[in-house]
Amino acid sequence: MRHVISTTKAPSTHWVGDGFPVRSLFSHMGGEDSHDPFLMLDYAGPQHFEPAKRPRGVDVHPHKGFETVTIVYKGEVEHGDSTGRGGVIREGDVQWMTAADGILHKEFHSRDFTARGGTLEMVQLWVNLSGRDKSAEPGYQGITDAQIPAVELADGAGRLRVIAGTFQGKDGPAHTFTPMEVWDLRLNAGKQVDLAPPDGQNVTVVVLGGTVTINGGYPVTGAALARLDGSGAFSVEAERDAKLLILSGAPIGEPIAAYGPFVMNTEAELHRAIAEFRSGKFGSL
């Protein structure tokens, strides 16, 4: 059985650009590596935006050495990058961007969402790459809600979407460099589910909304997370309707040298990555 080893409440909100009010539930930037292979998770919103003429967001910036995973729950986000890929990430959609050897990108509220206004709610997860994959070609997976298999849980307990990995025979559409599970879970009040990610993986239960009890004795109210260790299954029971993200991944177990949007293994590699960016190696946008 897996055991809860820590719980953490989300810190106060800070703004990324002028379009994303985020709470960082965990981050490698503070020397934290216990979520390996996951580096960071930012939860944006829910935040209401009035209609506007100019899209809010973050203009062109670089990434290297990892992947970003954007899950949109409400609203719309528009992306463009230096490989020429891009598009609108709508409610229920997922964007899985592989920065790897270096990419420039920008992310704003979509033009339609900007014009009509509304509520924005999304998660951005950073996923590390092993040293051998940090020089891979940049890539982009635009995954629509319709492409993500959903499993209706027994006894009307709720619904689980399989973004990456496998659950009850359903395979998620996301290609990953190392083994991991990314499950988007809705659990109804008074219901329970038993989950069993693969043994040997680090497991983080992210509670975005509602209140749950893990293994019958650890209440967690969102936005917050719980880290689990051990092997086998664990239980989650919802006291109130809950929105969760289950992250489980095989640890890469390599050193991390990070500076802002660059995540490498050594300081020498980090300095080289910054020099490559400044020299224009990441292309243009």
Side-chain angles (χ1 to χ4, degrees):
M1 181 177 182
R2 292 189 182 270
H3 305 280
V4 176
I5 55 176
S6 68
T7 60
T8 306
K9 285 288 293 180
S12 58
T13 299
H14 67 277
W15 283 82
V16 177
D18 64 355
F20 305 105
V22 307
R23 288 170 282 177
S24 298
L25 273 81
F26 64 84
S27 174
H28 63 292
M29 295 304 291
E32 173 74 67
D33 65 356
S34 57
H35 302 277
D36 183 13
F38 307 107
L39 294 166
M40 184 182 78
L41 186 139
D42 279 351
Y43 177 39
Q47 175 77 33
H48 179 77
F49 289 91
E50 295 295 330
K53 295 181 179 179
R54 179 185 62 83
R56 306 172 179 92
V58 183
D59 213 340
V60 180
H61 58 283
H63 288 301
K64 180 177 171 70
F66 63 100
E67 302 181 286
T68 65
V69 180
T70 302
I71 305 169
V72 174
Y73 296 105
K74 293 181 180 178
E76 294 180 350
V77 178
E78 193 162 351
H79 160 89
D81 66 47
S82 52
T83 70
R85 299 179 179 93
V88 177
I89 315 164
R90 296 180 170 85
E91 293 185 10
D93 294 351
V94 175
Q95 176 215 66
W96 199 295
M97 187 186 78
T98 303
D101 200 33
I103 201 169
L104 302 178
H105 86 137
K106 58 184 178 180
E107 45 203 338
F108 287 90
H109 298 177
S110 75
R111 284 162 286 187
D112 286 348
F113 179 77
T114 298
R116 69 174 182 266
T119 299
L120 178 73
E121 183 182 12
M122 57 172 275
V123 159
Q124 186 167 97
L125 173 70
W126 288 16
V127 179
N128 201 11
L129 294 172
S130 67
R132 68 177 180 274
D133 295 321
K134 290 183 184 296
S135 59
E137 182 179 351
Y140 181 89
Q141 301 174 70
I143 303 169
T144 65
D145 182 32
Q147 294 173 310
I148 301 172
V151 176
E152 300 296 331
L153 303 176
D155 191 32
R159 187 170 183 260
L160 186 150
R161 296 197 310 155
V162 189
I163 296 170
T166 302
F167 182 80
Q168 293 188 3
K170 301 290 187 180
D171 296 327
H175 164 79
T176 67
F177 283 81
T178 54
M180 68 187 65
E181 319 291 312
V182 178
W183 299 339
D184 174 21
L185 172 62
R186 302 293 190 283
L187 195 57
N188 296 327
K191 299 295 184 177
Q192 176 178 312
V193 64
D194 293 328
L195 301 171
D199 289 347
Q201 295 191 356
N202 289 331
V203 175
T204 302
V205 177
V206 182
V207 183
L208 300 175
T211 299
V212 303
T213 300
I214 301 175
N215 290 340
Y218 295 89
V220 183
T221 298
L225 61 80
R227 287 179 51 228
L228 280 67
D229 69 357
S231 59
F234 63 95
S235 68
V236 183
E237 182 178 2
E239 297 181 21
R240 294 186 284 124
D241 287 354
K243 178 188 300 180
L244 304 99
L245 196 60
I246 311 298
L247 306 176
S248 176
I252 293 173
E254 295 178 355
I256 292 175
Y259 177 76
F262 307 95
V263 182
M264 307 303 292
N265 291 125
T266 68
E267 289 295 325
E269 291 173 345
L270 186 60
H271 291 310
R272 187 160 57 248
I274 296 170
E276 289 172 351
F277 161 63
R278 289 173 175 168
S279 71
K281 184 179 180 292
F282 292 8
S284 62
L285 180 58

